[in-house]
Structure formats: structure tokens, C-alpha cells
Amino acid sequence: MPSIDDVIDSPDELDDEAAEDLYEAADLTQDMMGEVCPYPQVEAQKGLQEIESGDLLVQETDHVPCTENVPKAVGDDADASVWRSGDGVYRIYLRKN
Amino acid sequence: MVSQLAIAAVVGLGIGACLQKGRFCFVNAFRDLFAYKDTRVTKGVIAAVLVTMVFWGTAYQLGYYQGFWTPGWGLTGLVGGFVFGIGMTYAGGCASGTLYRAGEGYVQYWITLLFMGVGYVAFTAAFPTLQSTYFASLTFGEGVSLFEISPVPAGLLAIGVAAVATLVYATVLGREHADTAERATAASARPATIVGTPIVGLQRLAAGTRAYAAGVRDAWADPVAASKRPWDPRSAALGISVFALLWFTSVSIVGITGPEARWSGYLLSLVGVDAGSFTYWGSVLFRGAGVGLTVDMVMITFLVVGAGLAAYWSGDFSLRMPRKRRLPNAVLGGFAMGAGSRLAPGCNIGNIYSGLAELSVHSFIATIGIVAGVYVMTHWIYREVGCAI
């Protein structure tokens, strides 16, 4: 039985602890607070060009659609997961393939 | 009037909530299609238009409707639509997207709205000149809806158009599938035939629909949790179509920038400007009935409230301050949307959503203009990282 997550094709969600640990271990962080579409997508693509395979890029954003758009935009270049704070702040974790 | 206000509140809250939950963004729908060949939101937009077309066509055929919006057709749709498409891509939100994100707490989109207002005012001031130099020379024919002139009953016509659109989509889907299958097996067998391709596509469409239905059934197991998660754009599309049907049968077609342009005149009249003396506000937008609050203005206000409530419920509401370097997007993008929507006339909702759903000749042209504008602007914004299409 497919879940709604299969249907909307959203990236994996991280819990608070995993999100914090990964955030501290990130190789590149991008502050995307206040930025709206499509600039976080463009910056994510540029950021992935700067880091090595296996490295982690984290974007912190307050723009909801980015949690879906950015993973879509980077496609097969990175594995994506997201963390939702619950009060309008999100982090997008991109592990470069 | 009281019942109309109640309907305006229900429709506004409903559409606002559906837009927010589905992240129903017309810029996203076309921009990400061009930039990444990502069609998820595009499908939601097409589904919303087709379902609404069938609802409205049937309601029109049965006599339950309040009239169409069919401006004269010509190159104005192409020019104005193009300016609007450029504006909405630069601003990062269309007319409906700007409203629902304003409700989500984005200060950036309040600024966009403000400069859309400046665009309406600038257009209104220039209207007497534009009427003779622009509209008169670029408008070729009386506006008309195909529902009115077709010998086929409107409901059947709508179902027919929706069926043809589905078949075209299935063919595209089938061809994509054939392409991947061919690449995967590298076999010499030719899977794609003229008849076979749409059938493969229809099968895939059916499988997608079954998966969607299963997802919805699953979501019903825990409706409260599901209501807090983001929705599939198809769910949002269905919801919007139902509220749009209610609006169509009781008030009019759904529009955004028309009511917003009325708001601009109304607000100026509150601070002492004689808005009624401007031709565009006085005789066109308020049709000589005097500058005041109209029911569609109330509806779009409730749309912002509905989006705000939905965002708050989902944990997505917060007051978001814009970056200084994005102010040009709000200022120039907003102005281009305001002015462009008047030059067309009509925004993405008036033309792509409502206009196509009511089969208005004007809106077919304006839609081409808007999509062309998004295409050009997308290529400019992604000039450093490249576009797929």
C-alpha cells in the first residue's frame, strides 16, 4: 500500500536530533532565510559544484516550497532529506553523490 | 448581498487553503518544467483547469451560472501576458501565489502586492492613451467563449476537450516510457506505435491515479496528521475546482488582479482621491456603479486569510523578512505583474485557470503570452546553471 509520501514524492524527514548532528557536520551551509524561489535552487546547484562527492550541503530556509523544489532541482546529483522545525524554518540536507 | 458575502468568505477561505496546502504555484508549474523538466505542479495546474472546465461547462449547459468573462481577443493578450509572465517569474510568485504567500507571512510578497498596486494605478492613469493607441489597434475581435458559440452542448464540449487533452498527455507519457524502455533494454524491438503509445500512456495514467487514490485512502486513516502535511497538487486542484464551481454558479468566474485593481482604486478613494473620475476605475472596473467594496474584492481578501489559517495549522506560518537584495524582485516583478495583467487583460488565474476553463478565445492567446514570458525569464534567471528545455 503506497503512502501519501510516495504520491507527493517528498524527501525523507529528519528528526530533531539527527538534523542537529548532521547540521554540525555539514561541509557547506547556505543561509537561505528570506530567499524565495528559485534562488535557493540555483544556489544549491552552485554549492554542489563546490563540494566533493560524499560531502554534505545544508540549506537553512524559511521558504516552504524549497523543501520540495530544491531536492527536485538537484535531481540525481545529491540525496536529499529535510527537517521541519514546526515554526516555519526548514533545513534541506543534500549529500553529494 | 449577505448570502453573497457568505459565499465570498467560504470560497476565499477554501481556495486560499487549497493553494497553500498544494503549494499551487503557477510560476513553479512552468519555471520548473523549463528548468528541470519537473512536471509535478504543471500536472496539478492542468488537472485543475480540466476539472473546472467540465464543472463549468456542465453548469453553463444546465443554466446554473452567472456569466463569462470574455474580453476582446487580439495581440493585447500576447503582449500583456508576456509582461505578466516576466513579472511573475522575477517576483517568484504569480497573482494567486503572491496572495497565498502574503497569507503565509512573507513580507516580500506584501511588497510585491504593493507594487502590483502601483502597476494598477500607473495603468489606470495611462488608460485613456492606451485605449486608443494599444487596445484599439491590437484588439481584433469581440471576446467570446467557445461554450457560447459551439453547436455541441457545453458540458459535452468540456468533456470532449478534457478527453482530447488527456489523450495527448497519455501519448506524451507513453512516448517517454517507450524512450526509457528502449534505453534500458537497448533492444531493437520498436515498442512505440501510433496506437500503442497512447495506450501505454493511459495505462500509466491509470496506475498513477490508482496510486494517488491509495495515497488519499491512506491519508484518511489519520486525517488530522494528513491535513498538516503538504498536499498533492491534484488534491488541491480538486478542492479549488469545487470552490470555483460554487463561485461560478453564484457570482462569476474566479479572478485575482481585477479585484486587486478595484482594491487599488477603492483604497485611494478612502484617502481622498476621486477614483471614480478615472475612466478605468469609474467606467470599466466599477462599471459606473461607484467606487466601493464589491463581493470579489471580499473573496480575494478571504483567500489571504484562508492561506494564513492553513499555513498556521500546518506549522508553516511565520513572519518572514525579505533579503535586501531581493527587493528588486518584489518591486519590478510586482509592477510588471500589475501593469501586465491590465495590458492583457487578466492574470494567471483569470487567463490560465478561469479563461481556459471557460474556453475564452482571449485567454488562449494570453496563456501563450504568459508561458512565453516565464520561458524567457526562466532562462535568464538560470543563465549560470542552465535549463533543461
Side-chain angles (χ1 to χ4, degrees), chain B residues 28-377:
Chain B
N28 184 343
F30 298 110
R31 181 196 61 215
D32 286 10
L33 170 68
F34 298 140
Y36 308 114
K37 289 193 178 177
D38 174 15
T39 55
R40 199 181 64 84
V41 187
T42 325
K43 285 178 207 159
V45 168
I46 294 172
V49 171
L50 293 181
V51 173
T52 304
M53 186 193 300
V54 171
F55 280 1
W56 285 6
T58 309
Y60 173 71
Q61 187 182 333
L62 300 177
Y64 295 104
Y65 74 106
Q66 301 292 331
F68 292 118
W69 172 74
T70 49
W73 63 271
L75 288 178
T76 55
L78 212 54
V79 174
F82 187 78
V83 173
F84 183 83
I86 294 273
M88 78 179 198
T89 315
Y90 191 53
C94 53
S96 48
T98 299
L99 279 188
Y100 91 71
R101 286 187 194 134
E104 283 180 318
Y106 284 90
V107 174
Q108 163 131 7
Y109 290 106
W110 285 102
I111 302 171
T112 307
L113 269 179
L114 178 72
F115 280 89
M116 287 173 78
V118 175
Y120 302 136
V121 174
F123 175 87
T124 302
F127 182 70
T129 318
L130 285 169
Q131 200 169 24
S132 54
T133 57
Y134 174 78
F135 287 106
S137 52
L138 292 185
T139 303
F140 303 145
E142 288 276 308
V144 67
S145 157
L146 298 185
F147 283 140
E148 294 166 319
I149 54 167
S150 159
V152 184
L156 276 181
L157 179 65
I159 291 169
V161 173
V164 169
T166 309
L167 210 59
V168 169
Y169 175 64
T171 310
V172 174
L173 210 60
R175 189 166 298 162
E176 268 175 20
H177 183 65
D179 280 352
T180 18
E182 212 162 355
R183 249 181 283 134
T185 57
S188 55
R190 283 179 54 84
T193 62
I194 291 174
V195 186
T197 313
I199 291 177
V200 172
L202 282 176
Q203 284 166 345
R204 284 172 56 75
L205 205 59
T209 309
R210 274 197 301 276
Y212 169 70
V216 170
R217 263 201 311 279
D218 247 28
W220 271 111
D222 191 351
V224 175
S227 70
K228 292 189 179 187
R229 282 197 296 265
W231 293 356
D232 188 302
R234 286 173 289 189
S235 305
L238 267 174
I240 291 167
S241 304
V242 169
F243 290 111
L245 177 65
L246 178 57
W247 194 245
F248 183 68
T249 54
S250 53
V251 181
S252 179
I253 67 140
V254 180
I256 303 268
T257 49
E260 281 178 357
R262 273 190 274 279
W263 263 117
S264 68
Y266 177 67
L267 290 177
L268 284 179
S269 76
L270 290 186
V271 295
V273 176
D274 183 10
S277 66
F278 288 85
T279 316
Y280 190 64
W281 279 318
S283 6
V284 180
L285 283 179
F286 289 100
R287 299 201 184 94
V291 175
L293 212 53
T294 60
V295 70
D296 52 349
M297 289 159 67
V298 176
M299 192 273 276
I300 64 160
T301 309
F302 272 104
L303 194 157
V304 180
V305 178
L309 291 174
Y312 184 75
W313 174 250
S314 319
D316 289 334
F317 182 88
S318 79
L319 201 62
R320 298 161 168 94
M321 299 312 287
R323 288 281 171 97
K324 265 203 202 95
R325 65 167 185 271
R326 293 294 166 235
L327 285 181
N329 298 63
V331 171
L332 299 174
F335 185 84
M337 270 201 282
S341 73
R342 300 302 88 209
L343 290 169
C347 60
N348 58 300
I349 290 290
N351 284 314
I352 298 180
Y353 178 69
S354 296
L356 293 187
E358 57 164 5
L359 296 181
S360 162
V361 175
H362 163 81
S363 293
F364 286 104
I365 302 171
T367 298
I368 295 170
I370 295 174
V371 175
V374 179
Y375 184 81
V376 169
M377 198 63 191

Side-chain angles (χ1 to χ4, degrees), chain A residues 1-4 7 31 33-35 37-39 41 45-46 62-64 68-69 72-73 86 88 90, chain B residues 23 28 31-32 36 38 40 106 211 218 229 232 234 315-316 320-321 323 325-326 329 382 384-385:
Chain A
M1 178 67 84
S3 80
I4 189 82
V7 183
D31 177 9
M33 299 292 283
E35 290 279 11
C37 291
Y39 297 99
Q41 302 178 5
Q45 284 186 298
K46 284 197 216 162
D62 55 7
H63 191 43
V64 200
E68 261 177 70
N69 287 342
K72 286 251 179 184
Y90 316 86
Chain B
R23 290 174 198 163
N28 184 343
R31 181 196 61 215
D32 286 10
Y36 308 114
D38 174 15
R40 199 181 64 84
Y106 284 90
D218 247 28
R229 282 197 296 265
D232 188 302
R234 286 173 289 189
D316 289 334
R320 298 161 168 94
M321 299 312 287
R323 288 281 171 97
R325 65 167 185 271
R326 293 294 166 235
N329 298 63
Y382 287 81
E384 289 171 65
V385 288

